[in-house]
Amino acid sequence: MMFKLWSTCLMFWASCTAVPPETEKLPPPGYAGPVCYKPPCTARMINIKMYVEDSLWDRMVREARGDPTELLGVQMDIIFTYVNRILQQLDNGGFKVDFARDVVKLNRSEIVLEDTYVDRINGNKTTKVDPTNIFSQTFQFQEAVQKLPDRNSTDLRILFITERRSDPTLAASEETCICNPDWFGCVAVFSIAFLDNWGHNANVFAHEIGHALGMDLHDNQFYTSNPKSRLLMWVPVGFFATIWSPEAKRRINNQDNSCLTKEILSSKEEEVEVEEVEEVDDIFS
C-alpha cells in the first residue's frame, strides 16, 4: 500500500518559470544516477540550525523522562541519515545536511515570534497566527528569522513541530533560498508524527530541502504521471519516493549553491560513499 504525503513551498506561483501545457508533458522518468559535470565532485554541506516547538519539546521531556537532548540527537541522526542518502543522489557530488546534534527549544533560542505575520499566499494581508496551520507557523517563523542580525550565518533553519492531524500538509519551506541572501529567510518547518520515529516522513523533508536548493516547481507540472509514487518532487509525496527527476536535477544544478562548503573525504570514505549511493533506491523498502 502506498501512502501519499502532502508538502508545500512558499514562493508565489505567479513568479515561477513557465511550465509546459498538459499536451507537452513528458512521460514519467525512471531512476538515473547522479552525474559529475564539474569534477572533483564531493558533497556540498548544508549547514543547518534546528529548533523544536515548545509543546513538542515538552512531549519529548516526558518521553525521555528528563532532559530530551540526547534522545533528540538520536532522532536527528535518524532523519538526516535518510535525507542525506537522498540528497547525495543529486549531481556533482550531491548535498549533505551538516548538523552537530545542536537542537534548541524554541522559547530558549534567539527566535522571537510575533502574533501576526504577512500572509504572502493571501494577498500580503497582515494575519493573526493560527497555531493549527503549518503555513501560518512557517511565515511566523520565517519573519522572526529575517529579523536576526546574523540571519545568513546558517544556510537553513528548521523548526520541528507536532503534526497537526487536521492539516494534510506535513512540511513547508522557502524555495530557492539556499545561497540566496537577498531572498526571503531560508527556513523549513517539519512536522513530527511519531515521537519514537522522527524519520517517518524523511522523504518529505528531503523534498522540502530540494525546494530550498532550487527546485521551485513540482514534477506534476512536467510529467504525465508518477508510477508507484516514486518521484520525490511530485506532490503529494509518495511514502517511498526517492527519485529526482531530470527537471528537478536541472533546476537545482542551475541554482548557484556555491556558497556551500564541500565535504572533504579520505580515499576510504569515498569508496563507502559510492556504495551508499548505489543502494539509495531501496532505503525506504
Side-chain angles (χ1 to χ4, degrees):
M1 178 180 181
M2 290 288 182
F3 297 89
K4 292 189 176 180
L5 311 172
W6 287 102
S7 66
T8 192
C9 42
L10 301 180
M11 189 175 177
F12 290 119
W13 289 106
S15 67
C16 293
T17 306
V19 297
E22 191 74 29
T23 54
E24 296 179 13
K25 288 185 179 181
L26 298 172
Y31 170 76
V35 177
C36 180
Y37 294 108
K38 302 174 183 178
C41 291
T42 55
R44 286 148 289 177
M45 308 302 291
I46 304 170
N47 180 259
I48 67 170
K49 190 161 186 180
M50 300 176 290
Y51 308 83
V52 176
E53 173 189 56
D54 295 350
S55 60
L56 178 57
W57 182 281
D58 293 340
R59 291 178 68 199
M60 292 302 291
V61 167
R62 293 191 290 273
E63 186 79 4
R65 299 182 180 180
D67 184 352
T69 304
E70 183 63 28
L71 184 56
L72 287 168
V74 171
Q75 294 301 329
M76 297 307 162
D77 287 341
I78 292 171
I79 290 173
F80 293 114
T81 294
Y82 285 127
V83 167
N84 285 342
R85 287 182 181 180
I86 295 173
L87 293 177
Q88 284 181 274
Q89 286 293 286
L90 288 164
D91 294 335
N92 298 316
F95 300 84
K96 276 187 176 181
V97 172
D98 184 19
F99 72 103
R101 285 191 165 196
D102 184 16
V103 190
V104 62
K105 187 176 183 180
L106 188 60
N107 73 2
R108 296 177 187 164
S109 73
E110 74 280 21
I111 300 295
V112 179
L113 300 176
E114 302 291 342
D115 295 329
T116 62
Y117 65 97
V118 176
D119 190 344
R120 290 196 280 123
I121 56 177
N122 188 25
N124 290 328
K125 294 179 181 178
T126 299
T127 306
K128 185 175 177 59
V129 172
D130 177 0
T132 67
N133 184 289
I134 195 171
F135 303 128
S136 179
Q137 286 191 285
T138 304
F139 283 126
Q140 179 194 35
F141 178 59
Q142 183 179 50
E143 290 186 6
V145 167
Q146 289 170 174
K147 293 175 183 177
L148 296 175
D150 63 343
R151 58 169 279 190
N152 294 319
S153 63
T154 299
D155 299 317
L156 177 66
R157 297 174 194 264
I158 301 173
L159 173 63
F160 293 93
I161 66 173
T162 301
E163 183 180 319
R164 276 50 170 162
R165 300 293 180 176
S166 59
D167 190 344
T169 304
L170 301 178
S173 64
E174 181 61 60
E175 295 176 347
T176 68
C177 63
I178 289 179
C179 295
N180 194 354
D182 297 324
W183 192 235
F184 296 100
C186 202
V187 301
V189 175
F190 297 163
S191 63
I192 300 303
F194 305 107
L195 297 184
D196 61 348
N197 182 13
W198 285 36
H200 179 73
N201 293 326
N203 59 339
V204 176
F205 303 158
H207 170 110
E208 293 303 333
I209 294 174
H211 281 310
L213 285 169
M215 179 49 172
D216 53 342
L217 298 176
H218 286 117
D219 283 334
N220 313 49
Q221 295 164 273
F222 300 96
Y223 303 102
T224 56
S225 62
N226 181 20
K228 298 184 179 180
S229 300
R230 298 307 298 270
L231 291 177
L232 187 69
M233 298 308 294
W234 190 276
V235 63
V237 183
F239 191 76
F240 297 101
T242 56
I243 295 176
W244 296 99
S245 69
E247 186 63 30
K249 288 183 176 181
R250 185 184 72 82
R251 288 174 181 256
I252 292 171
N253 288 345
N254 286 342
Q255 175 159 308
D256 182 4
N257 289 314
S258 60
C259 78
L260 302 177
T261 59
K262 288 198 170 186
E263 183 180 32
I264 300 175
L265 296 177
S266 66
S267 298
K268 188 172 183 179
E269 286 174 324
E270 288 176 354
E271 292 175 5
V272 172
E273 291 295 318
V274 170
E275 291 174 1
E276 288 184 348
V277 162
E278 290 173 347
E279 296 171 357
V280 75
D281 199 41
D282 296 322
I283 63 176
F284 291 104
S285 59

